[in-house]
Amino acid sequence: MKKLLFLLFISTQIFGQDTLQISKKDLEARIEGQNLSVKLANDEVNAAKASLLETRAMYLPNVTASYTGISTNNPLMAFGSKLNQERITMMDFDPAKLNNPDNIFNFATKLEVQQPIFNKDAVYRKKAGEVQVDVLKIKAERTKEYLQFDLNKAYLQLQMAYKVVNVLEKARQTTLANKKVIDNYYKNGMIQKSEVLYMEVRVSEIESQIQYAKSNVRNTSDYLYFLLNEDSNNKVLKPQDEFSYQENIVEENPQLNVNRKDLQAYEKSLEAYHYLIKSSEAKFLPKLNAFGSFELHDNKPYQFNANGYLVGLQLSWNIFDGLKAKSEQEKYRADLSKAQTEIQQYQKQNQLELNKSYRQVLDADRKVSLTKLSWEQSGEAYRIRKNRYGQGLEKSSDLLSAETQMSQKELEYQQAIFEYNSALEYYKFLK
């Protein structure tokens, strides 16, 4: 695809697959034009626009043409058809012929035009349709905002997945270095076989964890390809941006932004109900329409020896329709009341969610500080035990336990950063 030319990719081999390095900025540049959710939202807008075109019938004429052939001996139809053909003579007024006419053929070409002039109910229906298009446009914008949030979250997951792989590979290197020392001690008869086995178990555990972490990298990469609406084809994405702690930007006692797109869409949708109510009320207003026709008649096919036209205006009132319009008004008013209640409920639910998200950010922030301290302390404890082990003052199981704890604490610290960044992204989306 030509769109891919502007991207900066560095290809290597990892896990037996091509690894493509990409930044979040590059993903943002591609995703909006390719994501299926955005396409669906835009299709809904286009469908609403297409439906709105139907309202052009309120001011555009309706034109029909027809060609009809009949054969009749009905007294009224026969006389009328002959009159339309302009073939009436004095002999046709003979009562015997009027009452018992001969069979007659009539071939008519007719062009009819109906022109709406004033139909207020149609005007309000059109306005309701225009509001619906605006609502769907706003919803499409919110879909893009959610897509941005989903992209940020997925990119964080990809960063975290690679960070876990790096931490585990570093732990493997540390474990293998310790294993080499323990193997030498065992060869020299300084330690028991059980201590060597403990270390081998630890190596197997790390290898299993690394394999699981690599699978998680692929899963997260596949999801990003899904968001891009692309086939991974044995390709794995790798983030160029550094996985790091984001700045805390939350404010105390957060309030929902009234300009948030989904809230705007809800408020905008109320206008459509008001117009629908007005449309039902306007059904009792007079309607003014023009009509006209031009006809060609003959007693032979495809002959047009006689013609005539008709034009007129029609002013009509719907005096009583069996309370149909009144029922429509009540239904639309009930729908309006329901929509207003749903908006209040939606706003309160989202305010609760925003408050919850705010507290999650604060809790995650504190967790980052605590896990960082624990990681640093476990690292110092491992350093002390390693020095004591070198002096023969510690068992290999104690060294292994300290190394395992240090690795776990580092993973907990990285996980805490991920949870904090994810909570912050969700807070920004809700805000």
Side-chain angles (χ1 to χ4, degrees), residues 160 243 367 410-420:
M160 179 61 188
F243 180 70
K367 185 177 180 180
E410 184 176 3
L411 287 175
E412 289 177 3
Y413 171 63
Q414 301 298 339
Q415 179 66 26
I417 292 177
F418 168 75
E419 292 175 359
Y420 168 77

Side-chain angles (χ1 to χ4, degrees), residues 356-408:
K356 178 182 176 182
S357 175
Y358 166 74
R359 290 187 287 270
Q360 286 176 335
V361 172
L362 297 182
D363 292 341
D365 194 15
R366 287 189 288 269
K367 185 177 180 180
V368 170
S369 300
L370 293 175
T371 54
K372 182 179 181 181
L373 180 60
S374 296
W375 177 36
E376 292 172 348
Q377 291 173 342
S378 64
E380 180 63 18
Y382 170 73
R383 186 188 65 80
I384 293 173
R385 286 187 180 275
K386 185 175 182 181
N387 290 337
R388 289 173 59 83
Y389 181 79
Q391 298 170 8
L393 302 176
E394 294 283 353
K395 297 180 180 179
S396 59
S397 59
D398 296 329
L399 176 64
L400 179 60
S401 176
E403 183 275 324
T404 302
Q405 186 178 45
M406 180 181 66
S407 175
Q408 290 176 344

Side-chain angles (χ1 to χ4, degrees), residues 175 178-179 182 195-203 400:
T175 301
N178 291 333
K179 183 177 182 301
I182 290 176
E195 298 188 34
V196 176
L197 294 176
Y198 282 140
M199 189 59 66
E200 290 178 350
V201 170
R202 173 57 179 162
V203 172
L400 179 60

Side-chain angles (χ1 to χ4, degrees), residues 222-275:
D222 286 348
Y223 183 69
L224 279 170
Y225 273 114
F226 165 75
L227 292 179
L228 292 173
N229 191 26
E230 295 180 5
D231 192 345
S232 60
N233 288 328
N234 292 322
K235 295 178 294 185
V236 177
L237 294 174
K238 184 174 184 179
Q240 289 180 341
D241 304 316
E242 185 68 23
F243 180 70
S244 60
Y245 172 82
Q246 298 183 24
E247 182 182 356
N248 191 329
I249 61 171
V250 295
E251 59 183 28
E252 191 175 356
N253 298 321
Q255 297 296 319
L256 281 180
N257 183 2
V258 295
N259 294 321
R260 216 175 76 176
K261 296 300 182 182
D262 53 342
L263 298 180
Q264 285 184 359
Y266 264 118
E267 291 291 341
K268 187 72 175 177
S269 65
L270 298 180
E271 294 182 24
Y273 290 111
H274 288 296
Y275 283 126

